[in-house]
Amino acid sequence: MALPGLPRPFELNPDLKAALRVESFQGTFSSKTFIEKLSSGIIATRIKENSNTFDPKPFIRTFESSLEELEKLASKMQKHTIELERETQKEELAFKKKVKELGHSFENVQTSLESLESRISEVGSTAIRIGEKLETADKQRARAVLSKKLMEYFMQFNEGRCPTLETLVTQKGLEGQIEAARILRQLAVLSKEVDLPDTQTAREGIEKSREQFETDMLSSFDKAYRAADPRVMAHCARALLEFNGGHSCVQIYVNQHDFFMLHSKVKESTPMEDSDQDNLVNPVAPIPPVDAGLVKLYGEIRATVEQEAEIISMVFPNPAAVFQVFIQRVFGQSIQQYIENLLERAQAKSTLAYLRTLASIHEQTILLVEDLKKCEDTLKTGSNASVEGSNISATTQPLAQTLDRCLDDLFVPYLEGERYLEKELQSLCEIYDSMLAKFTAYQLQRRGGNKFRAIITRKLNQMIDSSNNRQSLPPVPVQENFATVKNPEKYQTMQVSDDDGNLSVDQVTKLLKIHAESVVRSVGLLPMSGRPKNTAVLFQLLLDYIGMRYIDAALDSALEDLSAMDPKAPPDLRPMKRVKLVSGIVHLLQMHFQTAILPLTVPSPQVYRETVIQKNKLMASVEGKANATIQKEIDVILAWLETCLSRQRRTDFKPKDDELDITGLATKPCMDCCEFLRRMHDMIKKYFDGKNIEMFCTEIGVAFHGMLLEHFKKFSISPMGGVLLSKDIAKYQESVKAWNIPSLDERFEMLRQLGNVFLVKPEILPSVMNEGYLAKVDFKSLYPYLQNRVDFKTSKIDKLFEKQNIAAGGGESNAGPTSRMAALEDLTGTKFLSYSLR
């Protein structure tokens, strides 16, 4: 590096010096690019010289010179930076000083403004006090002037007549009459307060002038009303408003209105205009349209009220108050009279007609009220909606509240308290009694009075107690399902047939539709607060009729029929059809509860809980009685199968040579049983579905299997009889296999293998008993069957059995507390009593 003060041995070219300026380091800077730029000239020179050796000296000299230039540039920039910092500090101090001075100036201005505001407030308070005093003085002056003026009028009346007031009325026009009305009103007050002697003439004259003024104004109003002159009517109404509040002209306007004159009397003999009204009494017919006369009346009211709103706004200074009087008259006279007449005619038809009419009237009246509320805008924009100096209070109730109150008052006689709900319950009872009359008569005539309940209870308990050693049924509560029937005597003479005692899903559907209509009607008519309770009351009535008087009674009849069956005759499977119908009816009832009842009772947790409990109680009762009916049917079926097996002759499996017929399919008892099982399965598939078919057939199959095991112990079996027995077993197995129930297939396969012990030769018996299902059966269980072989002793099977028994007792292969046969006989895990209607 060159020493300071000495010339450098190598000077940078102008391009490199330009690259060492401050501008080169502003913005984006890359050291790599900078180095390449410093070296580019040297590299280009070396390339031109075509030199293959590297000479570092040019690079060193260039970098040293560049470094010196950069150091000078850095020193220069450092001085410049120090100078800028010094200037910045000076400017910052000056700025802070200026800000402080401005802050003091703002504080001074704020103080001045607060002082000015305080002085302005004081001036305002002084002005208010002065104004109050001036107002008081003005009132006192006006009162004094008025008192003087009134005393002058009073004294003139005391002298006999008041020409000044007469001039005011006759010659000063509208304003003079309004002023005269105001003076007469004030003179009336004064005459009552002044009780001086010799003033009787003044009081009489004032009263006479008041009467004359009111008569003249009302006469003018009436003439203008008849001439349809709203300008004169408005003049008179305004004067009378100042005179006595304007009540008299309002009464004339309302009483003489054409609408009320035309509808002053509702002819009771006027029939309903729509022929569809005859459907009012038909509970299953669609609800007929609204009475045409009511629709016409409400249409006239809409048109009249809309027109009168405009007229009243032009005529009366207080249109809202006058319009409310008009509306109350419309509701209190025209609508109420027509509704009373309409409901009286409907009540004469039936309670249902009354309720349907009431609901349609209520619905149409709500629509009318909503339309009439729109007239409030017309009243607000009336030309005389605000009158200066009026002595009428401005506390007129809003039109919407007046209309709502009129609506409530109109229906209070029909909806107050429990009146409506009692009518609804009465209607449902009348309809249900009528629709279920034939069914009720059939059931009551079957029962022969109250004795039937004791008979059914005794029969049911006997059925439960004697359940053939199967799992016992839970007690089924037996209730009097016709205890609440009114006038049961009338049903005893009614002509009925067996079909009248059958259940009908279509009939229940109609009952539910009628009940849904009743619920919807109560929702529209009764307040929301009592909706859960009212819905629960209506649903309880439905449960009483459909649950107790219909489903429960039908199941009682089924139990009675099954209890009265002759066990020696083929059983009747038709009671199972009732169970199927009961299942469908309960499903409909549950759907009705979920869609129509549940949403309305949820808002009240207590009512909801009680309603669900009542519904579930009925479901449990019906399900229990349905299961009892099914179990009784099973008992009857098994009794018939046992009867068929009892017809087996003692010689069927020990035939003589001349009686032998090996070409037959099976013995007659077997054919009878199999044919009945086939028919039973076909019927059960119609009445049950899904798991219930399997459970029912399993119950029958398990019991029948045990019955056959006991049955085969009763007969001596010859070799040819064993062939016949195997045919019977094969037939039984074929019949049960058609049910497609694996657990029963195992049982009857074991039965088939058991039949083989009657076919094989004695020496083959040990191998047969050690194969298949028989291998898992202990010899003690097989002994009763083996000893029925006619060659049991002649072929020394008994000796063989003793040996096998000793061998089995000494070993452990076939030993055990539970045998395969015992396990099959105890297969009762799937009882039909779990049959569910839900």
Side-chain angles (χ1 to χ4, degrees), residues 432-449 482 485 487-498 500-501 549-550 553 557:
Y432 286 175
D433 286 340
S434 175
M435 296 181 68
L436 299 179
K438 290 285 188 180
F439 180 85
T440 303
Y442 176 83
Q443 299 297 336
L444 288 177
Q445 291 178 21
R446 279 179 58 101
R447 285 154 173 72
F482 291 103
V485 172
N487 302 324
E489 299 80 9
K490 68 179 181 180
Y491 296 102
Q492 299 297 335
T493 58
M494 191 177 294
Q495 295 294 327
V496 295
S497 62
D498 291 341
D500 294 327
R549 299 194 190 182
Y550 200 62
S557 300

Side-chain angles (χ1 to χ4, degrees), residues 265-317:
K265 291 184 179 180
V266 180
K267 296 182 180 180
E268 296 183 359
S269 60
T270 303
M272 296 182 183
E273 299 181 19
D274 197 337
S275 60
D276 291 339
Q277 296 295 321
D278 294 336
N279 288 333
L280 279 173
V281 299
N282 187 355
V284 298
I287 301 176
V290 184
D291 178 74
L294 182 69
V295 175
K296 180 180 179 182
L297 175 63
Y298 282 3
E300 294 176 357
I301 290 175
R302 287 184 176 92
T304 301
V305 169
E306 184 178 354
Q307 180 181 359
E308 290 306 312
E310 298 179 357
I311 296 175
I312 290 173
S313 298
M314 292 187 297
V315 171
F316 293 96

